Amino acid sequence: MDGPDAFEVRDVAVIGRTFEEYLAMFDLEARDLEGERVLDCPSGAGSFAAGVADRGVSAVGADRAYRRPPAELARRCRSDTAAVADQLPEKRELFDWEYYGSVEGRIELLKRACETFLGDYRAASGGRYVAGALPDLPFADDAFSLALSAHLLFLYDDRFDRAFHAASLRELARVAREVRVYPLQGLDAEPSGLLDGLIEELRAEGYDAEIRPTPFEFQRGSTDQLVISG
């Protein structure tokens, strides 16, 4: 994955997106979430849960990073955010800039998501953030009406194998009545070779699984999401 044709990420980056970015990525309107219980997994340093809480929506963010002490978590979030931001100017050709307008616009939202998350994480009560990781989540069956999973599955298909992806998709479908996954490409911007076979497997098990377009594009060619319902 090294080189000018791929984005370089150590381990799995603990970064995040804003509430508005989530709506665009998953082709949602804020009103679509009214009265719903939503899971963001993995939620990383994203501000989605904070954003929907401000709108009266019940949401939970789950991530393995939340096992870290708060000070260590803050350092990791800011370090990974800075590492990603530092690569953007030299690898701008890998991305479509219509949504963000510029490298500076992307970096601004990247940092805003991180700082909003950290402030909300320190202040949140009622279990809005849960230390949990795919493919084994600490939630009951159908605990959520919707699960959103961004920038883990398929993106890191160079380090998580097919078995992990299959188990993770089933687990998300267990805890939520509908699952949306974005993007469907790897860090090299190539469509994941795991996708077609996993869709066939899910359908054989009785799930509705389909690829739907989304109006959001940042990584070039990432204009689709996977939607699963039971």
Side-chain angles (χ1 to χ4, degrees):
M1 288 298 175
D2 295 345
D5 297 326
F7 208 75
E8 299 170 30
V9 180
R10 67 171 187 178
D11 188 23
V12 174
V14 185
I15 60 173
R17 273 77 180 174
T18 63
F19 171 72
E20 291 78 14
E21 287 172 282
Y22 260 70
L23 294 182
M25 285 190 299
F26 292 107
D27 195 20
L28 293 166
E29 299 287 343
R31 62 176 176 271
D32 296 333
L33 303 175
E34 293 177 2
E36 304 294 341
R37 181 164 168 79
V38 186
L39 172 67
D40 177 15
C41 178
S43 48
S47 61
F48 173 79
V52 292
D54 289 343
R55 292 162 174 81
V57 176
S58 175
V60 172
D63 200 290
R64 67 175 184 172
Y66 304 160
R67 297 168 181 164
R68 300 170 181 263
E72 182 183 334
L73 175 61
R75 286 193 297 271
R76 176 63 186 271
C77 292
R78 289 176 174 138
S79 173
D80 284 4
T81 294
V84 169
D86 287 347
Q87 286 191 69
L88 289 173
E90 65 185 57
K91 297 196 174 181
R92 67 178 69 212
E93 73 279 0
L94 298 177
F95 304 103
D96 182 293
W97 295 98
E98 182 177 355
Y99 182 86
Y100 296 104
S102 65
V103 170
E104 292 75 20
R106 170 71 181 112
I107 292 174
E108 178 185 354
L109 291 186
L110 190 64
K111 292 180 177 178
R112 182 189 305 172
C114 176
E115 295 306 321
T116 300
F117 158 72
L118 290 173
D120 193 59
Y121 185 81
R122 289 190 292 266
S125 60
R128 186 147 71 236
Y129 297 100
V130 173
L134 292 168
D136 185 15
L137 298 174
F139 305 114
D141 295 356
D142 294 328
F144 303 92
S145 48
L146 176 64
L148 305 176
S149 187
H151 297 95
L152 175 71
L153 299 175
F154 304 112
L155 183 66
Y156 290 98
D157 63 1
D158 63 327
R159 57 201 78 176
F160 293 108
D161 63 13
R162 188 183 190 282
F164 174 87
H165 278 73
S168 295
L169 292 173
R170 290 192 192 97
E171 181 72 346
L172 289 167
R174 179 187 70 80
V175 303
R177 295 194 297 274
E178 180 178 307
V179 177
R180 299 191 182 197
V181 180
Y182 177 90
L184 306 181
Q185 298 186 163
L187 287 166
D188 58 0
E190 293 296 324
S192 175
L194 300 176
L195 184 61
D196 290 343
L198 288 170
I199 288 177
E200 291 178 7
E201 188 173 307
L202 288 166
R203 288 173 176 169
E205 294 174 6
Y207 294 100
D208 292 325
E210 61 176 326
I211 296 175
R212 294 183 191 170
T214 171
F216 181 85
E217 181 182 11
F218 181 46
Q219 184 190 48
R220 291 193 183 276
S222 286
T223 57
D224 294 309
Q225 62 176 320
L226 174 62
V227 180
I228 305 167
S229 57

